[in-house]
Amino acid sequence: MSTLTDLYREIGACQRCSLYKTATRPVPGEGPDNSQIMFIGEAPGFHEDQQGRPFVGAAGQFLESLLASIKLKRDQVYIANVVKHRPPNNRDPLPGEIIACRPWVQKQIELVKPKMIVTLGRYSMEMFFAGKTISKIHGTGQKRDGVMYFAMYHPAAALHQQSLRQAIETDMLKIPALLAEMEAKETKNESQPTQMKMFGF
Ligand code: URA
């Protein structure tokens, strides 16, 4: 599997858990294959399931307005979900479904190679910040292996709760500086001799 298109085809045929049986379409994710930022949500809802695209309902509209607050359009970032098929009646994804779907998220990360991964909500956070609590770590970045991981509340939750809404809006505004930090690091590494890079200078 070498491109996102190949990956989407494979996800479309996925039967690793039973969600494909009740879903209308797979929702693999979308965005440029060289996106610097990847947003990872929870699971497709009704509208996503109908259209085969992530974050196209109310939460998606809110995500777009959050992106606009940092001068980004949705087609400039990569958007994915932990689970690629809609759970029936929008129930939470089950542990087995998340485990079954995890290789697809990993492949997306391998192919896109984002500098920053933004988790939206608890299920996505758990994948990258195991054992952490969202109310404690939201809005904080953690650098690992050249990638900045950043946890945010889920836009759907924040849409209806004023305190979370303020938090998600504030957290979003931190993204440009964290991304710039990763870019600056990369530029510095590129201009250094290999030996210095090996020693992490
Ligand atoms: N909520 C999610 O987590 N993902 C979507 O794609 C839509 C709503």
Side-chain angles (χ1 to χ4, degrees):
M1 178 197 312
S2 55
T3 65
L4 285 173
T5 311
D6 296 334
L7 178 65
Y8 298 160
R9 201 175 308 120
E10 292 204 29
I11 292 173
C14 182
Q15 301 189 352
R16 289 181 191 182
C17 76
S18 58
L19 288 181
Y20 76 93
K21 293 183 189 164
T22 46
T24 313
R25 304 164 186 255
V27 183
E30 65 184 26
D33 62 6
N34 61 353
S35 303
Q36 297 201 322
I37 313 179
M38 181 180 287
F39 288 85
I40 305 180
E42 184 178 313
F46 174 82
H47 295 286
E48 291 76 21
D49 178 67
Q50 293 290 309
Q51 296 183 37
R53 298 181 59 208
F55 282 96
V56 290
Q61 277 177 20
F62 185 37
L63 180 60
E64 286 182 29
S65 81
L66 291 166
L67 286 169
S69 75
I70 56 167
K71 313 243 172 328
L72 284 176
K73 294 202 161 49
R74 70 175 281 150
D75 61 9
Q76 293 177 289
V77 300
Y78 196 87
I79 305 177
N81 281 306
V82 166
V83 163
K84 310 302 189 197
H85 284 100
R86 181 191 185 207
N89 303 316
N90 289 356
R91 67 155 167 76
D92 290 342
L94 301 173
E97 293 161 354
I98 294 171
I99 291 168
C101 228
R102 196 183 166 110
W104 299 132
V105 181
Q106 274 162 347
K107 269 285 164 205
Q108 277 169 317
I109 296 169
E110 271 171 49
L111 290 171
V112 177
K113 299 186 181 62
K115 292 195 176 66
M116 186 159 183
I117 292 180
V118 180
T119 64
L120 300 172
R122 280 182 300 125
Y123 289 91
S124 175
M125 178 201 66
E126 181 61 25
M127 203 171 240
F128 301 96
F129 301 90
K132 300 284 185 202
T133 308
I134 197 154
S135 58
K136 295 217 173 90
I137 68 155
H138 75 88
T140 62
Q142 202 182 91
K143 252 182 274 175
R144 260 178 269 148
D145 303 326
V147 179
M148 178 69 75
Y149 295 88
F150 185 69
M152 289 183 31
Y153 283 113
H154 195 287
L159 200 51
H160 304 293
Q161 269 193 64
Q162 193 53 30
S163 61
L164 300 191
R165 193 182 175 116
Q166 275 167 4
I168 202 173
E169 285 171 353
T170 306
D171 292 348
M172 193 77 175
L173 296 176
K174 296 179 185 169
I175 289 180
L178 290 170
L179 185 61
E181 195 184 311
M182 299 311 287
E183 281 167 348
K185 206 166 166 233
E186 188 165 275
T187 313
K188 196 170 155 216
N189 279 345
E190 275 165 9
S191 63
Q192 284 174 340
T194 314
Q195 210 170 2
M196 285 179 80
K197 273 189 234 170
M198 280 169 54
F199 289 102
F201 291 105

